[in-house]
Structure formats: structure tokens, C-alpha cells
């Protein structure tokens, strides 16, 4: 079964958006490491943990994940 999901491409994931994602993850109880706008290991792990917790698709930063975090993309 093919499932389409809207994801952000690399050029859309700016440091400013990542800082918002990191702040939202902290607010939701998922530690993304430093709030520095960089997608490091801790941030990637926190995004995946959030997605699993919220029963969202994993593997990339989706628009649905941003909406669930309350971040405008």
C-alpha cells in the first residue's frame, strides 16, 4: 500500500524552524538537547519519540508532526 505524506525538504527546515521544533519538543516533555536550531542526534531521537507517542508517521519531519507540535512550517 502506498501512503503519501507531506514532508519538509531540507531547504524548508531552517534553523529558526528547528529552534521552534526543539522548544515545542521540550514543552511536550521530549528532550531534543540544546535549542540551537541544529538537527543533531538528540533532536532526531526526540522527534521520533514524539511521533511514536502521538502515533504519527516516523522517518522524517512531516507537516503533520509540525502541526502536532504547534509549529508553523
Amino acid at each position: 500500500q502506498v501512503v503519501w505524506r507531506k514532508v519538509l525538504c531540507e531547504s524548508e527546515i531552517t534553523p529558526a524552524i528547528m529552534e521552534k521544533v526543539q522548544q515545542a519538543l521540550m514543552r511536550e516533555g521530549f528532550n531534543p538537547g540544546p535549542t540551537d536550531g541544529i538537527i543533531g542526534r538528540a533532536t532526531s531521537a526526540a522527534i521520533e519519540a514524539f511521533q511514536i507517542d502521538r502515533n504519527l508517521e516516523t522517518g522524517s519531519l512531516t507537516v503533520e508532526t509540525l502541526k502536532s507540535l504547534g509549529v508553523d512550517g
Side-chain angles (χ1 to χ4, degrees):
Q1 178 181 14
V2 176
V3 177
W4 292 94
R5 58 190 162 141
K6 189 170 181 182
V7 299
L8 296 177
C9 64
E10 264 187 57
S11 65
E12 294 175 309
I13 304 174
T14 64
I17 287 175
M18 276 316 301
E19 280 188 44
K20 290 178 183 178
V21 168
Q22 290 167 330
Q23 291 167 351
L25 286 165
M26 286 291 285
R27 186 177 58 247
E28 295 293 326
F30 297 87
N31 185 0
T35 305
D36 56 8
I38 298 170
I39 306 173
R41 284 186 178 176
T43 299
S44 294
I47 290 169
E48 185 172 7
F50 175 81
Q51 290 169 326
I52 290 168
D53 186 69
R54 299 300 196 276
N55 201 29
L56 301 169
E57 293 289 330
T58 60
S60 59
L61 186 55
T62 64
V63 172
E64 184 180 16
T65 299
L66 289 179
K67 287 180 183 177
S68 294
L69 285 168
V71 175
D72 293 328

